[in-house]
């Protein structure tokens, strides 16, 4: 389900949030389905339950899940979440293109590299 990368510079909870968001957006975790308990997921990933709780709090804050007191955490999904993530990725791409331009690499060259990588993956 979730594989953590300990070489990643991001905090573990951010990695958990990112992985769960992708699972929700891709429909692997279906809308209104129950999320694993904090304790169970922490044991499965061999990490501190506080880390999972922090990730769940962030997922709830961003609208990817909701809590029913005494029952647990449940998946939320709507098209707005997909669009939110899409906008986030567009911002990252724009930032990357700007950084490339700052060191003399044109947008056209960067976009061609992206297209080339896309063709290689086909």
């Amino acid at each position: 389900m979730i594989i953590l990368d300990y070489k990643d510079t991001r905090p573990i909870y951010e990695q958990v949030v990112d992985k769960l968001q992708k699972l929700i957006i891709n429909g692997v975790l279906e809308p209104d389905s129950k999320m694993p308990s904090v304790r169970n997921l922490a044991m499965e990933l061999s990490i501190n339950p506080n880390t999972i709780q922090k990730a769940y709090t962030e997922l709830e804050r961003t609208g990817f899940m909701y809590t029913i007191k005494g029952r647990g955490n449940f998946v939320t999904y709507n098209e707005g979440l997909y669009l939110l993530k899409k906008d986030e990725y567009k911002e990252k791409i724009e930032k990357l293109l700007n950084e490339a331009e700052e060191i003399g690499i044109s947008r056209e060259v960067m976009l061609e590299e992206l297209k080339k990588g896309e063709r290689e993956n086909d």
Side-chain angles (χ1 to χ4, degrees), residues 72-87:
N73 300 300
F74 296 85
V75 174
T76 301
Y77 180 76
N78 62 48
E79 192 65 23
L81 297 175
Y82 169 78
L83 296 174
L84 179 74
K85 260 328 226 190
K86 184 178 173 183
D87 287 344

Side-chain angles (χ1 to χ4, degrees), residues 16-46:
V16 172
V17 167
D18 187 52
K19 304 279 184 178
L20 288 172
Q21 285 177 340
K22 287 176 183 170
L23 291 171
I24 292 168
I25 288 172
N26 290 327
V28 175
L29 295 174
E30 296 179 1
D32 300 317
S33 63
K34 194 171 187 326
M35 297 286 288
S37 72
V38 169
R39 180 173 285 142
N40 286 346
L41 189 54
M43 284 175 42
E44 183 181 318
L45 299 176
S46 300

Side-chain angles (χ1 to χ4, degrees), residues 50-100:
N50 292 335
T51 302
I52 299 299
Q53 185 58 53
K54 190 171 183 177
Y56 276 17
T57 299
E58 180 64 15
L59 288 166
E60 189 169 6
R61 188 188 69 75
T62 55
F64 281 86
M65 66 179 235
Y66 61 95
T67 302
I68 298 177
K69 204 146 190 86
R71 305 241 5 245
N73 300 300
F74 296 85
V75 174
T76 301
Y77 180 76
N78 62 48
E79 192 65 23
L81 297 175
Y82 169 78
L83 296 174
L84 179 74
K85 260 328 226 190
K86 184 178 173 183
D87 287 344
E88 188 179 304
Y89 289 130
K90 285 167 57 175
E91 285 178 24
K92 288 179 182 181
I93 291 169
E94 185 63 33
K95 182 180 178 196
L96 183 63
L97 291 172
N98 288 337
E99 288 175 4

